Amino acid sequence: MTNDPKAPAVTEVEKHGIEPIPAADRTAKPLDLFRLVFGGANTFATVVLGSFPILFGLSFKDALLATVLGVVVGGLILCPMAVFGPTNGMNNAVSSSGHLGVHGRVVGSFLSLLTAFAFFSISVWSSGDALVGGANRLVGLPQNAVTLSLAYGVFAVLILTVCIHGFRFMLWVNKIAVVAASLLFLLGIVAFAGTFDASYAGTFGQGADAATNALFWPSFIGSALIVMSNPISFGAFLGDWSRYIPAETPKRKVMAAAFLAQVATLVPFGFGLVTATIIATEAPAFFENSDYVGGLLAVSPAWYFLPVCLIALVGGMSTGTTALYGTGLDFSSVFPRFSRVQATLFIGSIAIVFIFVGRFAFNIVQSISTFAVLIITCTAPWMIMMMIGYVTRRGWYDADSLQVFNRRQVGGRYWFNRGWNWRAMGVWIFSAVMGIMFVNVPNQFVGALGNLAAGVDLSIPISIGLAAVLYPAVLWLFPEPADAYGPEGPRFVRAAAPKNIPIVDEKKDLESVLS
């Protein structure tokens, strides 16, 4: 992509915000999307998630099955979200105006804002801890609040710098990160080949009692859902990057890039699984204290400390940039008076303060993971509704009507009821609330119905299932105006009479027209 004579220099600050990307500037390819999505997940944050199935007591074989299941199902749910960018040249939050309404699109911006905030923090914390811990074992660097603060600060500033420069600089970073981090993870095969035991039985082996075995399915399903949350967390952001792909690019290639990027995360997930089995066998005290990074360093050979530091550096950069870039872009979409660069600086500064306060003043590192689960539970039904909406609209959207909110205008095809589509908003709120009620994260958050399935966390299946069933039903029972659809009309649902609401600059002008 960077060899394209039409493409700006890598170090040139990106000028585009939330407006449609001009066709001449849409020079990215599905491979670039693959690099960004995989690069954003090829890090210690994913490795830590990969350790959870072992932490939950599964054997290595069952943990591997749960991981593959979570990655594949999550990837299949995620990949359709990549098509909105090439279709509209806009990010997914702006595209959601077509379904939730001119004002309702703030739901997508709010969800992506919170998701990026959480994963940016997790990335900096996990990578900073691994970098300082590795340096401690490698050269004796003190492992204390001062060195951790320096590591967090360096990561945060580097990430913020990349995000300010924008899409092409971020893509360049991820081109390097994808190859480098993958090779370093694969180098772990050599590092841990002598201590890894694929027959690791976990707590559900032959010696387990009936009470322990009763927890197998909650542990298996919970593990798969934790893994699934990783690809789902990218749902709100895919349009941030895929909007640079030309509209004529076959959608199957765009979706394949997003899906295969998730399949590739089996590399860091697998690294987490393998090393977690070794930690559980040789250094179980670290698991009891929820200290995966400390356990990893304890069981690693001395020569692998340097690769651990490099993984922390490279992986932290790639994950942090993909998270913070989306944060700045979405904040500028909610507050259009901010440019993308201004919004990135503003949100990035707040995120950096949060990282330090959350780590040292309140120690909410573990709680932020639960917070991320709650956000993803709310994001999943939003994604399902976007996909269903895309199908019913036959992939057709009106660009001017999608930009009404950003231009501080009113009216258009997606004005619905004073800028809100109560059909979509009602289904999303109900699905998200019900999903949260079924959350079951032991010792962190258990919803009102969280114990209804013998401890199995059904939050994401419930929220996804409700949205998938209720949204088409609502569209059929309460048809949207015909002008919300394209010239070919709706697919699979009915349409009501068109409203033909004009786009005007002032609300009073719209009221006078409608009256």
Side-chain angles (χ1 to χ4, degrees):
M1 175 176 161
T2 52
N3 294 326
D4 191 323
K6 296 181 181 179
V10 168
T11 55
E12 181 179 332
V13 175
E14 180 185 0
K15 297 181 176 61
H16 295 302
I18 51 175
E19 72 281 358
I21 303 299
D25 293 340
R26 295 170 68 172
T27 56
K29 300 178 177 62
L31 178 59
D32 296 319
L33 179 64
F34 172 90
R35 287 168 173 156
L36 284 166
V37 178
F38 179 39
N42 197 26
T43 181
F44 258 112
T46 305
V47 169
V48 172
L49 288 179
S51 70
F52 272 78
I54 300 298
L55 184 63
F56 284 3
L58 297 180
S59 68
F60 174 76
K61 293 180 181 178
D62 288 333
L64 180 60
L65 180 60
T67 300
V68 173
L69 178 64
V71 166
V72 171
V73 174
L76 290 174
I77 294 173
L78 170 71
C79 65
M81 295 300 293
V83 304
F84 293 95
T87 298
N88 297 320
M90 310 172 200
N91 71 347
N92 286 355
V94 174
S95 293
S96 72
S97 298
H99 306 294
L100 282 86
V102 169
H103 295 150
R105 50 68 43 95
V106 299
V107 169
S109 293
F110 186 65
L111 289 172
S112 59
L113 188 70
L114 293 178
T115 304
F117 213 89
F119 279 86
F120 175 60
S121 301
I122 292 171
S123 172
V124 171
W125 285 331
S126 60
S127 296
D129 290 348
L131 181 61
V132 173
N136 172 261
R137 298 291 298 274
L138 186 64
V139 297
L141 179 74
Q143 194 170 0
N144 53 38
V146 174
T147 55
L148 286 172
S149 296
L150 288 173
Y152 296 159
V154 169
F155 269 119
V157 171
L158 288 175
I159 289 168
L160 185 58
T161 301
V162 174
C163 291
I164 288 173
H165 280 81
F167 174 78
R168 298 181 190 282
F169 197 11
M170 186 172 63
L171 178 59
W172 179 77
V173 168
N174 276 275
K175 283 181 178 179
I176 299 172
V178 164
V179 176
S182 297
L183 290 176
L184 291 168
F185 279 131
L186 293 175
L187 188 60
I189 296 175
V190 178
F192 300 107
T195 52
F196 169 60
D197 181 9
S199 64
Y200 172 77
T203 61
F204 300 106
Q206 294 181 350
D209 56 26
T212 300
N213 281 328
L215 297 175
F216 173 79
W217 284 112
S219 298
F220 183 87
I221 296 174
S223 298
L225 291 178
I226 285 178
V227 173
M228 188 192 303
S229 69
N230 196 56
I232 289 178
S233 70
F234 284 87
F237 303 122
L238 284 188
D240 298 349
W241 317 312
S242 65
R243 64 196 183 122
Y244 277 93
I245 296 175
E248 61 272 14
T249 304
K251 298 299 186 290
R252 67 179 184 278
K253 291 186 177 180
V254 180
M255 292 173 60
F259 176 74
L260 292 176
Q262 294 306 317
V263 172
T265 63
L266 288 173
V267 172
F269 271 120
F271 182 90
L273 277 177
V274 168
T275 53
T277 62
I278 300 171
I279 295 170
T281 302
E282 301 193 3
F286 287 95
F287 262 5
E288 294 173 6
N289 296 321
S290 300
D291 184 8
Y292 167 79
V293 173
L296 173 64
L297 293 170
V299 300
S300 296
W303 66 266
Y304 198 64
F305 294 153
L306 178 58
V308 167
C309 292
L310 294 175
I311 290 173
L313 180 62
V314 173
M317 283 288 293
S318 58
T319 297
T321 52
T322 52
L324 189 59
Y325 176 81
T327 306
L329 187 64
D330 277 303
F331 188 80
S332 69
S333 73
V334 177
F335 299 96
R337 293 180 182 178
F338 283 84
S339 68
R340 185 197 62 81
V341 172
Q342 291 171 331
T344 301
L345 278 170
F346 179 72
I347 292 296
S349 300
I350 294 177
I352 291 171
V353 172
F354 176 80
I355 285 170
F356 283 93
V357 173
R359 175 63 173 84
F360 297 111
F362 297 103
N363 194 24
I364 60 172
V365 175
Q366 186 174 1
S367 299
I368 199 69
S369 300
T370 303
F371 179 58
V373 170
L374 297 177
I375 297 170
I376 292 166
T377 301
C378 296
T379 303
W382 178 83
M383 292 169 57
I384 295 298
M385 293 167 63
M386 287 280 287
M387 299 172 202
I388 293 173
Y390 183 90
V391 172
T392 60
R393 299 286 169 83
R394 301 179 186 272
W396 186 93
Y397 296 86
D398 178 50
D400 284 338
S401 294
L402 290 176
Q403 289 288 321
V404 164
F405 181 94
N406 309 328
R407 296 169 180 166
R408 286 296 185 261
Q409 297 173 316
V410 293
R413 293 175 181 267
Y414 311 127
W415 186 247
F416 297 110
N417 299 91
R418 299 182 181 275
W420 302 89
N421 188 351
W422 59 266
R423 304 163 187 82
M425 288 296 300
V427 171
W428 174 74
I429 291 172
F430 181 76
S431 301
V433 169
M434 290 301 297
I436 290 176
M437 292 180 70
F438 277 91
V439 170
N440 190 321
V441 182
N443 302 320
Q444 286 290 311
F445 181 90
V446 179
L449 302 176
N451 290 316
L452 201 61
V456 177
D457 187 332
L458 296 178
S459 55
I460 294 179
I462 289 292
S463 63
I464 286 177
L466 286 173
V469 173
L470 294 179
Y471 190 43
V474 168
L475 291 179
W476 180 266
L477 295 173
F478 307 98
E480 293 176 333
D483 49 332
Y485 299 93
E488 297 183 26
R491 178 191 283 136
F492 303 133
V493 297
R494 299 184 299 158
K499 286 192 173 182
N500 298 319
I501 301 175
I503 298 176
V504 295
D505 293 331
E506 299 288 342
K507 190 173 182 180
K508 60 182 180 180
D509 294 335
L510 179 62
E511 292 174 348
S512 64
V513 170
L514 295 179
S515 61

